[in-house]
Amino acid sequence: DAARDAGEAPRGRGETIMLVEDDEPVRRSIARTLLSAGYKVIEAPTGDDAVKSCESLKNAVDLLLTDIVMPGISGVTLATAAREQCPGLKVLFCSGYTDEMLGLDFLGVEKPELIRKPVDKGDLLWKVRETLDK
């Protein structure tokens, strides 16, 4: 892709992203990157917090960006619950674990959208845009 090769990170179009990450410095860093690119960000430190937010926000969230392995409910369980609340919700998983450790046949999705930690800002913005545009 020519734009990607030129190093131009895609911008948000005002979409709302629910960011679920239990590691506060990582969550803040990702939130800053998304906000500076033109996205609205709702931060949640746990899957349980995110489920409560999803219930109150209904269809106001365009993308769920969630860590997979967290205390309490996992990102996979969260994604399933969030999609029950908002059937068209796009989901992007984030993890520092390998595919083998995760067992990537979750959600009945053959190849779930996934970005690796540590997260590169440019890669993050590209993956978010690609996931939203699918």
Side-chain angles (χ1 to χ4, degrees):
D1 181 272
R4 191 167 190 159
D5 293 341
E8 303 161 18
R11 306 266 319 146
R13 300 179 193 133
E15 297 97 338
T16 299
I17 298 173
M18 178 166 296
L19 170 60
V20 188
E21 168 61 62
D22 60 307
D23 184 324
E24 186 176 352
V26 172
R27 188 176 68 249
R28 299 264 158 145
S29 174
I30 291 172
R32 276 193 304 272
T33 298
L34 294 169
L35 287 165
S36 69
Y39 294 101
K40 294 176 192 143
V41 179
I42 300 164
E43 293 182 51
T46 69
D48 295 314
D49 292 327
V51 167
K52 289 177 195 143
S53 292
C54 279
E55 288 169 0
S56 64
L57 294 167
K58 287 293 180 203
N59 295 311
V61 176
D62 299 293
L63 175 74
L64 171 65
L65 173 54
T66 182
D67 192 3
I68 296 175
V69 179
M70 300 180 286
I73 69 170
S74 72
V76 176
T77 302
L78 167 60
T80 302
R83 282 184 168 151
E84 285 170 10
Q85 296 286 332
C86 309
L89 183 66
K90 310 272 181 145
V91 178
L92 174 56
F93 293 101
C94 186
S95 182
Y97 290 91
T98 64
D99 290 4
E100 293 75 32
M101 292 166 76
L102 292 170
L104 282 185
D105 55 350
F106 56 80
L107 279 187
V109 176
E110 205 166 291
K111 187 112 172 78
E113 296 297 332
L114 178 69
I115 189 163
R116 298 278 176 207
K117 290 180 190 175
V119 176
D120 173 83
K121 291 178 181 181
D123 289 346
L124 171 68
L125 293 176
W126 277 105
K127 194 67 178 176
V128 165
R129 185 78 264 151
E130 288 167 5
T131 304
L132 283 166
D133 290 346
K134 281 192 175 175

